[in-house]
């Protein structure tokens, strides 16, 4: 399913960053884009955001980045990610990084990548 801009927000800075990475000569021809997902049981907050390249997109929702690449989300993670804004810029320590603002988090550790979520009832 193609997501709308209101469901997951990818800023122009983030889109440019992901497309720059995906356009590298080192990217294999079968790469379809990047996958954004939540790894449970990881990090000091209990869950951790993960971003990696993806070749198999079956069962994933997506946002097109351009005509060739997409930004993919596992359907199982979608409810915890609705309303999330993804940006690219300087973080609190002054380094350029992917910046994630997720209104569904119930807590976050200092690094910003390890998060907690209240259990869905």
């Amino acid at each position: 399913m193609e997501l709308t801009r209101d469901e997951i927000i990818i800023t122009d800075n983030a889109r440019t960053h992901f497309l720059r990475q995906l356009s590298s000569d080192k990217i294999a021809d079968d790469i379809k884009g990047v996958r954004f997902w939540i790894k449970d049981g990881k990090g000091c907050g209990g869950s951790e955001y993960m971003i990696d390249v993806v070749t198999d997109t079956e069962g994933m929702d997506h946002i097109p980045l351009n005509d060739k690449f997409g930004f993919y989300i596992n359907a199982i993670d979608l409810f915890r990610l609705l309303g999330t804004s993804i940006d690219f810029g300087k973080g609190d320590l002054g380094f350029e990084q992917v910046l994630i603002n997720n209104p569904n988090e119930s807590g976050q550790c200092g690094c910003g990548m390890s998060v907690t979520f209240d259990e869905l009832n």
Side-chain angles (χ1 to χ4, degrees), residues 58-69:
E58 188 173 333
M60 292 188 200
D61 298 313
H62 75 284
I63 299 168
L65 293 174
N66 65 10
D67 292 339
K68 182 176 180 182
F69 297 115

Side-chain angles (χ1 to χ4, degrees), residues 103-121:
N104 304 304
E105 296 173 5
S106 58
Q108 186 180 92
C109 77
C111 73
M113 295 301 278
S114 182
V115 296
T116 54
F117 297 95
D118 289 334
E119 293 299 318
L120 297 175
N121 295 325

